[in-house]
Amino acid sequence: MNKETSFIAELIQQKENIQIEFVGEYKVPQIMQAICSFLNTQGGWVLVGYNGKEFRDISGEIQDKVVELKQQILEEIFPQPLVDVRVEEYKNQQVLLINVVKGSRQPYSY
């Protein structure tokens, strides 16, 4: 098990809390709201493709989704945040793992 896989397993085991949000489907508004919420609190992790009970297939055009999401973050969240979006594989499923660093210029808006 590689480092990212074990980290995703750890996130799933911890369940959703004030620093972990699961988004089952690739829905940009829902993802952006979670990111903005974490920016205005303690930061956290957004796992897209897992709804808290099961994995959803979001793998179609996943690299395009990463590019789209990064662009949306730059254009629609103010002030500009520090957010990392990347594709990870967990149990033969591709998911998006988003790390949101607590914002230093709060409040952030979407």
Side-chain angles (χ1 to χ4, degrees):
M1 190 179 285
N2 68 30
K3 194 159 95 174
E4 285 78 21
T5 300
S6 62
F7 183 70
I8 291 172
E10 185 179 315
L11 288 177
I12 291 168
Q13 184 179 14
Q14 290 182 39
K15 303 189 184 315
E16 283 189 322
N17 60 46
I18 61 169
Q19 290 187 292
I20 301 172
E21 176 89 16
F22 301 137
V23 179
E25 297 177 24
Y26 181 78
K27 293 184 177 177
V28 174
Q30 186 177 358
I31 297 167
M32 297 287 281
Q33 288 172 356
I35 290 170
C36 198
S37 174
F38 286 149
L39 286 165
N40 286 313
T41 56
Q42 297 299 312
W45 295 90
V46 181
L47 182 61
V48 181
Y50 178 72
N51 67 6
K53 295 181 183 177
E54 63 186 2
F55 285 90
R56 304 288 187 149
D57 183 18
I58 63 161
S59 61
E61 311 276 334
I62 197 154
Q63 291 300 332
D64 291 342
K65 290 174 182 171
V66 170
V67 170
E68 175 190 33
L69 195 53
K70 285 181 178 181
Q71 189 65 37
Q72 293 277 1
I73 291 166
L74 288 174
E75 291 177 359
E76 296 187 26
I77 295 180
F78 302 100
Q80 191 172 20
L82 182 57
V83 177
D84 177 47
V85 180
R86 64 181 181 257
V87 177
E88 297 292 343
E89 190 164 317
Y90 181 75
K91 293 188 176 183
N92 298 320
Q93 291 279 351
Q94 288 188 316
V95 295
L96 293 179
L97 184 60
I98 304 169
N99 181 11
V100 182
V101 176
K102 176 182 177 181
S104 62
R105 300 183 295 169
Q106 297 175 352
Y108 287 79
S109 63
Y110 162 62

